[in-house]
């Protein structure tokens, strides 16, 4: 099996501030872990910058330009209390989205079996006309639209197991039955969306989990609700918003997952990808704020991709 790893040094230069949880140290730690000889078979690829055309399938062009024009020449600019720009943030955001675009192209062309995008800033909170929650552009949604509009895929799914609900991806997908979004997440928690009653046009599946929920509740929600719905959707491509902040050690939430849960869910998602889309799966890094837990969980996830 061939697994592509997309990243770019610019993603390390995005600096939201000294004490911000979404720090460059997160990505640096993941990349250092993936430099281990165990991961030598990863095919390493430089993430390109996303084209404006790709971004504008999700975000109106005026919004895209407003974000890029807000990038400061020096210092920091806050879009909101959580989402902060530094001089390198524009290129980092373009590379993060471009990584997912390139990964989609590669798996559709069968150059790779699957791909992992080790990038930042993350994307799943970015709504079509609003950057928020550490996120500037919605990387997963941009990749999904690329698959549909450029490659002609008729059913594209995003599955999100970050501890925070991907309100941005849901907002981009909820009126379009050719797209599918499913999420497990702690609830109530930022950003306040993700109730089970939020179902779009029948294409949205939310599994809210109470604080302190662990492996059994997570796996039950996946097994009883998300995986059957995803299977019935018959995706031609699976995109994973791979956030690891539901780990029991994470400081920003109170779920109790372990690395073994990320191994398990990755295996289940790959099974469905092989059943319906010749194994085509693209994963992109979202959250995860305890460095040790993030590294172990991301490594567990990539290990499964490589052995698929």
């Amino acid at each position: 099996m061939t697994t592509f790893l997309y990243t770019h040094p610019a993603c390390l230069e995005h600096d939201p501030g000294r004490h911000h949880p979404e720090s460059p140290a997160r990505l640096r730690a993941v990349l250092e872990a993936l430099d281990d000889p165990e991961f030598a078979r990863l095919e390493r690829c430089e993430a390109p910058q996303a084209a404006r055309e790709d971004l504008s399938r999700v975000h109106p062009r005026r919004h895209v330009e407003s974000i890029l024009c807000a990038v400061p020449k020096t210092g920091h600019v806050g879009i909101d209390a959580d989402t902060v720009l530094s001089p390198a943030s524009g290129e980092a955001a373009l590379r993060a989205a471009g990584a997912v675009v390139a990964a989609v192209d590669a798996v559709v062309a069968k150059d790779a079996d699957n791909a992992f995008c080790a990038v930042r800033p993350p994307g799943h909170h970015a709504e079509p006309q609003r950057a928020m929650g550490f996120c500037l552009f919605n990387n997963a949604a941009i990749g999904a639209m690329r698959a549909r509009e450029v490659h002609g895929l008729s059913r594209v799914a995003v599955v999100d197991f970050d501890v925070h609900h991907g309100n941005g991806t849901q907002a981009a997908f909820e009126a379009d039955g050719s797209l599918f979004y499913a999420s497990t997440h702690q609830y109530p928690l930022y950003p306040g969306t993700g109730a089970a009653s939020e179902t779009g046009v029948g294409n949205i599946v939310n599994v809210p989990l109470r604080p302190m929920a662990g492996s059994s509740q997570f796996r039950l929600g996946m097994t009883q609700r998300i995986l059957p719905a995803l299977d019935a959707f018959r995706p031609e491509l699976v995109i994973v918003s791979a956030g690891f902040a539901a780990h029991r050690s994470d400081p920003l939430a109170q779920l109790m997952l372990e690395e073994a849960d990320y191994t398990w869910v990755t295996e289940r998602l790959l099974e469905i990808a092989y059943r319906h889309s010749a194994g085509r799966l693209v994963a992109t890094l979202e959250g995860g704020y305890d460095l040790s837990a993030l590294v172990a969980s991301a490594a567990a996830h990539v290990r499964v991709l490589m052995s698929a």
Side-chain angles (χ1 to χ4, degrees):
M1 295 294 105
T2 302
T3 299
F4 280 10
L5 171 65
Y6 286 89
T7 191
H8 193 277
C11 294
L12 291 167
E13 299 302 317
H14 166 58
D15 174 23
R18 185 173 179 182
H19 301 294
H20 199 286
E22 206 291 282
S23 73
R26 300 176 58 247
L27 179 57
R28 189 174 297 113
V30 169
L31 292 175
E32 287 175 359
L34 296 180
D35 277 340
D36 187 273
E38 176 187 6
F39 299 101
R41 288 191 300 107
L42 285 171
E43 187 156 334
R44 292 154 203 278
C45 308
E46 183 175 277
Q49 292 193 28
R52 298 296 196 275
E53 182 180 7
D54 286 309
L55 300 176
S56 64
R57 294 190 184 99
V58 174
H59 305 285
R61 191 172 291 264
R62 180 179 297 178
H63 173 70
V64 170
E65 297 305 327
S66 74
I67 295 295
L68 295 176
C69 287
V71 174
K73 288 185 169 51
T74 61
H76 294 88
V77 169
I79 292 175
D80 60 26
D82 298 317
T83 311
V84 181
L85 302 175
S86 69
S89 297
E91 183 180 357
L94 292 173
R95 298 282 183 181
V100 183
V101 167
V104 167
D105 290 349
V107 300
V108 171
K110 301 183 180 179
D111 295 328
D113 296 287
N114 54 58
F116 180 68
C117 300
V119 293
R120 54 185 290 279
H124 70 155
H125 292 310
E127 297 181 349
Q129 299 192 64
R130 182 185 182 194
M132 59 181 287
F134 312 165
C135 304
L136 301 181
F137 302 129
N138 195 307
N139 308 321
I142 289 164
M145 296 300 191
R146 171 83 175 187
R148 191 181 68 175
E149 300 300 325
V150 173
H151 297 293
L153 302 190
S154 58
R155 295 180 306 279
V156 182
V158 173
V159 178
D160 186 338
F161 49 69
D162 194 281
V163 80
H164 298 101
H165 179 246
N167 57 294
T169 313
Q170 178 171 300
F173 284 16
E174 60 190 352
D176 189 334
S178 72
L179 301 167
F180 175 95
Y181 176 72
S183 173
T184 57
H185 47 273
Q186 183 175 323
Y187 186 87
L189 191 66
Y190 181 91
T193 54
S197 59
E198 296 169 21
T199 59
V201 291
N203 62 330
I204 306 293
V205 182
N206 284 308
V207 177
L209 301 172
R210 293 181 180 276
M212 306 308 292
S215 298
S216 60
Q217 295 95 328
F218 170 74
R219 296 190 189 202
L220 191 66
M222 279 284 177
T223 301
Q224 291 192 344
R225 297 198 56 209
I226 289 178
L227 297 175
L230 179 62
D231 208 14
F233 181 72
R234 297 178 293 115
E236 296 174 306
L237 171 68
V238 176
I239 297 177
V240 181
S241 274
F244 301 103
H247 193 282
R248 64 187 305 119
S249 298
D250 199 272
L252 296 193
Q254 297 83 39
L255 293 188
M256 306 296 288
L257 300 194
E258 307 270 5
E259 296 93 274
D261 295 306
Y262 297 115
T263 297
W264 176 87
V265 71
T266 307
E267 290 171 343
R268 303 292 82 74
L269 294 173
L270 275 169
E271 287 170 359
I272 290 178
Y274 273 103
R275 191 145 55 239
H276 300 293
S277 61
R280 292 187 297 221
L281 184 147
V282 171
T284 185
L285 183 65
E286 301 284 2
Y289 304 99
D290 178 271
L291 294 187
S292 295
L294 171 62
V295 164
S297 301
H301 177 67
V302 173
R303 196 174 287 122
V304 175
L305 298 182
M306 292 176 62
S307 63

